Amino acid sequence: MKNLSKNIFLIVSTSVLLLWANVAFGSTLKVCKTCTYTSVKQAVKKAKPGDTVLIQKGVYKEHGIVIDKPITILGQNKPVIDGNYKGQVFTVVADNVTIEGLTIKNIATSYRQDDAAIRVVERNNIRILNNTILNTYFGIYLQNSENCVIKGNIVSGKDVTGLNESALGNAIHLWYCNNAVISNNKVNGHRDGIYLEFVKDSEVKNNLSQNNLRYGLHFMFSDGNVYTHNTFRKNGAGVAVMYTRNIRMEHNTFEGNWGAAAYGLLLKEITNSVIYHNTFRRNTTGIYMESSSRLDIQRNEFDKNGWAIRLLSSCIEDTFKLNNFTGNSFDVSTNGTPTMNLFENNYWDKYSGYDLNKDRVGDVSYRPVSLYSMLVEKVPPSVMFMRSFMVDLMDNIEKVMPSFIPESLLDEQPMMKKINYDNNRKLTQVVR
Amino acid sequence: MKPVLKIVGLLFILSAIVSCKPEQKPIPYGAANCAHCNMTVADNRYGAELVNDKGKAFFFDSSECLMAYVNEQTELAEKASFILVSDFTKPGELIDARKAHYLQSKNLPSPMGLYLTAVADKTAATKMHQEHGGRLLTWNEAVTAVKNNEKPE
């Protein structure tokens, strides 16, 4: 009997608690043509902390919606919010806000203020999920905000091919933010796809960034970040990492970044970073490195680039190991005589040495810098002599009697066969 | 007849000389790399340019990059035919950098993190100063600020 009353008490108390919790989780405010609320702004104004504003299918011509309490904005069947070129659509000035499942479009290009489809100002725990943002100046703009998640969004701008117009904002722009997660987004047609300035300890993964005027992904003064499994295609340059330390770059694909000022990966004054398992395909320059030191570059694929690596002599203590170099016009070029970088156990398709003891490592060392690449570095127009007889002759003579190319830049143990990254555990153990 | 020919010839030569004079070039946004930081020059509110005495143009993505370059290559800067920055209020328009007014304000982030914005017109600069705060600098003060890597508070 005593037990039973105890049980009843438990049941009653939990149900009371549950009811209370239901209140705390908030009610749902529906927005549609025939609902109580016909505009998002109205509903947001009426909502209490913890409420959900459910926007149903339709087109809403609204802008300047200020979210100043922790609520969830949820779109059902992709409702369209048309900013009508009048200013920002969402401005978030509260913590714990979620914006999900909307289509936001038509933000005017503004020079005085950087208008965005969604802007977050000095807040924490903001979640921006599965939205489609079209025809905007800045797409998603976070400033001084921490622990934010930007996931599954499509931010699509203009067609920038042949466009010399700089009136473009960035698709995803973070400024002074920590611990952000940016994943599974598709961005195109902006100045930079994803731009991180003064951002720390953040993660960028599984994104597709293409056809942007400047960079697919851009780090400025942003230490301790990770980016993995992204694809950067046909941007002014795939990724630029500048004035930054401790970056992990793994399993990314850089392809088709082609043009006079284009790079796959542009490194300027970065230190203590790793570049593992990336693919660089058909870029004018795979990696351009300037004043960058203590980088570990391993197991990358450099395929059909103009230059695989342009390593300026201001770079020191960089390691290049177990990379594949195939079909590049130039494998490595440099502008001086760097001494402090290590090349070891890479596969070079231009290598013509032999392996008598059959340990799969070539017996003579390979010099990845050709005399002609040095010449092109110093006199760029001389590139028009590419593949001419004289250049071949010059390079072959230099191979026999090296006198101009850096003495110390060589791979003493080049691999005889292309390294297969899926199935090379055994081999790497041998090599180690 | 002969003097006419001579004059025509002289005029022709003169015009050839005049056309060889260094002149400012439009910045190819999106296609040029900054001469200092190697970034693609993309924002026409902040682009800058230096034309040397032989007419070769160097492009910069921001006025702070131009100033850093000038600090490094003082001789080149002294001999330069043009030192130009973009007018923030009229994007894409180049003005004399040494006569421009520079606003350094936390509210106006420029491409390279030093918050320098160039404006041609004094009154426009004062108005922006009132609007955004920060401090107003002359060319020389701004160059020194870049040299010392001074950021706004």
Side-chain angles (χ1 to χ4, degrees):
Chain A
M1 192 63 201
K2 208 179 170 189
N3 236 351
L4 186 72
S5 68
K6 208 177 186 180
N7 271 345
I8 287 168
F9 172 74
L10 253 176
I11 288 163
V12 169
S13 59
T14 37
S15 51
V16 165
L17 260 175
L18 267 175
L19 266 173
W20 181 77
N22 206 19
V23 173
F25 278 124
S27 47
T28 303
L29 292 84
K30 280 189 186 166
V31 181
C32 67
K33 288 267 142 58
T34 52
C35 302
T36 338
Y37 303 103
T38 48
S39 89
V40 183
K41 205 185 252 173
Q42 241 175 28
V44 167
K45 207 170 259 176
K46 278 276 145 52
K48 290 179 193 68
D51 283 358
T52 301
V53 173
L54 186 72
I55 306 170
Q56 288 175 345
K57 200 179 169 111
V59 180
Y60 304 86
K61 280 204 193 293
E62 290 187 56
H63 66 277
I65 304 167
V66 179
I67 303 173
D68 53 0
K69 51 210 139 194
I71 55 172
T72 299
I73 309 272
L74 190 62
Q76 208 171 34
N77 301 325
K78 288 261 170 197
V80 178
I81 298 175
D82 188 339
N84 214 8
Y85 303 103
K86 278 183 180 150
Q88 244 157 214
V89 172
F90 285 105
T91 312
V92 179
V93 290
D95 293 346
N96 306 315
V97 171
T98 303
I99 298 177
E100 187 170 355
L102 304 175
T103 301
I104 306 170
K105 64 179 191 183
N106 301 343
I107 313 296
T109 300
S110 55
Y111 289 112
R112 293 296 189 85
Q113 71 230 38
D114 295 334
D115 274 345
I118 301 173
R119 192 191 191 93
V120 179
V121 187
E122 291 164 33
R123 291 298 143 186
N124 296 334
N125 297 321
I126 308 297
R127 294 157 63 80
I128 298 169
L129 313 169
N130 305 323
N131 299 291
T132 305
I133 296 171
L134 305 168
N135 205 1
T136 178
Y137 184 46
F138 278 78
I140 298 168
Y141 192 129
L142 271 61
Q143 62 192 76
N144 300 75
S145 301
E146 306 211 349
N147 305 319
C148 295
V149 178
I150 300 173
K151 194 175 171 187
N153 300 288
I154 297 167
V155 186
S156 184
K158 297 170 185 134
D159 180 13
V160 294
T161 38
L163 193 73
N164 253 359
E165 191 189 354
S166 55
L168 296 163
N170 302 324
I172 297 174
H173 186 105
L174 271 68
W175 194 61
Y176 281 106
C177 296
N178 295 336
N179 295 315
V181 177
I182 302 169
S183 65
N184 300 80
N185 300 289
K186 283 184 189 158
V187 295
N188 73 294
H190 286 82
R191 189 196 301 152
D192 287 349
I194 301 168
Y195 182 79
L196 311 174
E197 190 167 9
F198 306 106
V199 171
K200 298 209 162 54
D201 308 314
S202 295
E203 224 181 310
V204 179
K205 56 186 182 188
N206 298 325
N207 299 289
L208 170 65
S209 182
Q210 57 186 352
N211 297 320
N212 294 295
L213 184 72
R214 197 168 62 181
Y215 302 130
L217 171 63
H218 187 184
F219 292 93
M220 291 288 274
F221 316 105
S222 296
D223 301 343
N225 297 301
V226 179
Y227 69 93
T228 61
H229 299 96
N230 300 289
T231 302
F232 306 101
R233 196 178 290 142
K234 291 185 179 164
N235 300 295
V239 177
V241 186
M242 302 175 139
Y243 309 100
T244 291
R245 281 167 298 181
N246 296 326
I247 302 273
R248 294 188 73 85
M249 325 180 202
E250 293 180 54
H251 299 284
N252 299 291
T253 305
F254 305 78
E255 60 184 8
N257 300 298
W258 200 264
Y263 307 102
L265 174 57
L266 170 63
L267 305 173
K268 166 96 181 170
E269 293 193 28
I270 88 159
T271 50
N272 291 326
S273 298
V274 295
I275 303 174
Y276 292 162
H277 298 285
N278 299 287
T279 304
F280 297 86
R281 196 180 295 122
R282 284 191 295 274
N283 303 291
T284 308
T285 303
I287 304 183
Y288 176 91
M289 300 166 65
E290 195 179 323
S291 310
S292 299
S293 55
R294 292 193 293 285
L295 306 183
D296 197 3
I297 299 161
Q298 289 199 29
R299 287 154 213 250
N300 300 291
E301 194 97 43
F302 295 90
D303 188 33
K304 300 189 185 71
N305 300 290
W307 284 264
I309 293 169
R310 282 174 73 186
L311 178 67
L312 299 202
S313 54
S314 50
C315 301
I316 53 163
E317 291 175 48
D318 299 322
T319 309
F320 297 85
K321 260 187 188 173
L322 296 162
N323 300 294
N324 279 334
F325 292 85
T326 50
N328 303 302
S329 299
F330 300 114
D331 289 330
V332 178
S333 91
T334 182
N335 63 341
T337 46
T339 47
M340 300 291 284
N341 300 302
L342 175 72
F343 283 84
E344 206 175 60
N345 297 128
N346 299 290
Y347 170 76
W348 314 87
D349 65 345
K350 292 188 194 66
Y351 179 61
S352 51
Y354 44 82
D355 178 22
L356 290 182
N357 56 0
K358 301 258 189 266
D359 62 352
R360 299 205 228 166
V361 175
D363 296 345
V364 275
S365 42
Y366 175 69
R367 294 177 182 278
V369 181
S370 71
L371 175 60
Y372 179 51
S373 76
M374 302 272 300
L375 188 68
V376 172
E377 194 71 41
K378 287 200 174 116
V379 192
S382 66
V383 78
M384 65 184 166
F385 293 109
M386 186 102 167
R387 312 216 191 286
S388 71
F389 172 68
M390 279 310 289
V391 166
D392 290 345
L393 194 71
M394 202 168 77
D395 269 345
N396 281 317
I397 293 170
E398 183 71 14
K399 245 179 222 164
V400 182
M401 300 181 291
S403 56
F404 288 98
I405 55 175
E407 186 71 10
S408 56
L409 206 162
L410 77 172
D411 191 335
E412 285 184 19
Q413 296 182 304
M415 306 304 289
M416 290 306 290
K417 281 217 175 93
K418 195 175 168 187
I419 304 152
N420 181 1
Y421 296 113
D422 300 323
N423 189 16
N424 65 343
R425 291 263 161 77
K426 225 167 145 189
L427 177 68
T428 47
Q429 272 164 8
V430 170
V431 164
R432 262 186 211 144
Chain B
M1 195 62 203
K2 255 192 180 167
V4 175
L5 263 178
K6 249 182 200 167
I7 288 164
V8 168
L10 206 70
L11 272 176
F12 187 75
I13 292 163
L14 259 177
S15 71
I17 290 169
V18 167
S19 68
C20 279
K21 245 177 78 181
E23 51 189 36
Q24 64 182 76
K25 296 185 174 73
I27 300 176
Y29 287 101
N33 281 351
C34 175
H36 178 71
C37 74
N38 223 325
M39 251 166 75
T40 314
V41 183
D43 195 333
N44 66 0
R45 298 172 299 173
Y46 292 100
E49 181 179 337
L50 186 149
V51 183
N52 73 3
D53 51 339
K54 293 184 187 77
K56 183 173 162 47
F58 299 86
F59 304 109
F60 303 88
D61 67 334
S62 63
S63 50
E64 56 252 48
C65 269
L66 168 71
M67 288 166 191
Y69 194 78
V70 163
N71 277 331
E72 275 171 19
Q73 324 245 352
T74 37
E75 203 183 324
L76 187 105
E78 275 159 22
K79 278 201 254 165
S81 310
F82 293 100
I83 299 181
L84 305 156
V85 288
S86 292
D87 185 351
F88 184 79
T89 54
K90 292 173 198 146
E93 206 163 288
L94 290 167
I95 51 171
D96 189 341
R98 282 168 285 207
K99 287 187 190 135
H101 305 274
Y102 296 88
L103 175 66
Q104 191 173 38
S105 160
K106 198 83 184 165
N107 294 325
L108 292 167
S110 58
M112 296 305 292
L114 280 183
Y115 304 90
L116 274 177
T117 302
V119 185
D121 189 32
K122 179 98 198 248
T123 47
T126 344
K127 200 175 152 237
M128 273 174 67
H129 182 211
Q130 282 160 359
E131 217 172 292
H132 299 285
R135 55 176 184 167
L136 277 173
L137 303 168
T138 63
W139 163 256
N140 284 330
E141 286 164 351
V143 169
T144 322
V146 169
K147 195 180 234 165
N148 302 332
N149 201 18
E150 287 168 34
K151 285 179 189 171
E153 290 307 308

